[in-house]
Amino acid sequence: MEKLDLSCFIGEPLEDVKKTLSDKGLNIIIKEFLKPKMKTDSKLVVVAKYINANTIELVVGDFLINL
């Protein structure tokens, strides 16, 4: 299997990235860094890296997008 360029997932919503990667048959490990008791509206991917050929680790954080 050809490795994906994971940099395109940085800053993307977690649910979108999970769907894309699982559709490609990859296993996903998620590590969350959340601020307790802070109201946020989005979980975005801040780091994506290969653990092995079929497993990708995603580090996500909470963000408040106030436009």
Side-chain angles (χ1 to χ4, degrees), residues 9-26:
F9 297 118
I10 305 303
E12 295 295 320
L14 174 61
E15 293 306 315
D16 294 348
V17 174
K18 278 177 35 180
K19 181 173 180 356
T20 301
L21 295 175
S22 62
D23 287 350
K24 294 185 182 293
L26 296 167

Side-chain angles (χ1 to χ4, degrees), residues 4-63:
L4 296 171
D5 177 17
L6 299 179
S7 65
C8 65
F9 297 118
I10 305 303
E12 295 295 320
L14 174 61
E15 293 306 315
D16 294 348
V17 174
K18 278 177 35 180
K19 181 173 180 356
T20 301
L21 295 175
S22 62
D23 287 350
K24 294 185 182 293
L26 296 167
N27 298 318
I28 304 162
I29 298 171
I30 299 170
K31 290 189 177 179
E32 295 182 344
F33 290 95
L34 312 174
K35 292 192 177 201
K37 298 183 182 182
M38 182 176 174
K39 184 176 167 115
T40 59
D41 59 2
S42 298
K43 287 185 183 178
L44 303 180
V45 175
V46 292
V47 175
K49 64 181 178 180
Y50 278 96
I51 301 299
N52 60 43
N54 293 325
T55 305
I56 294 177
E57 179 180 75
L58 301 174
V59 178
V60 299
D62 276 340
F63 287 86

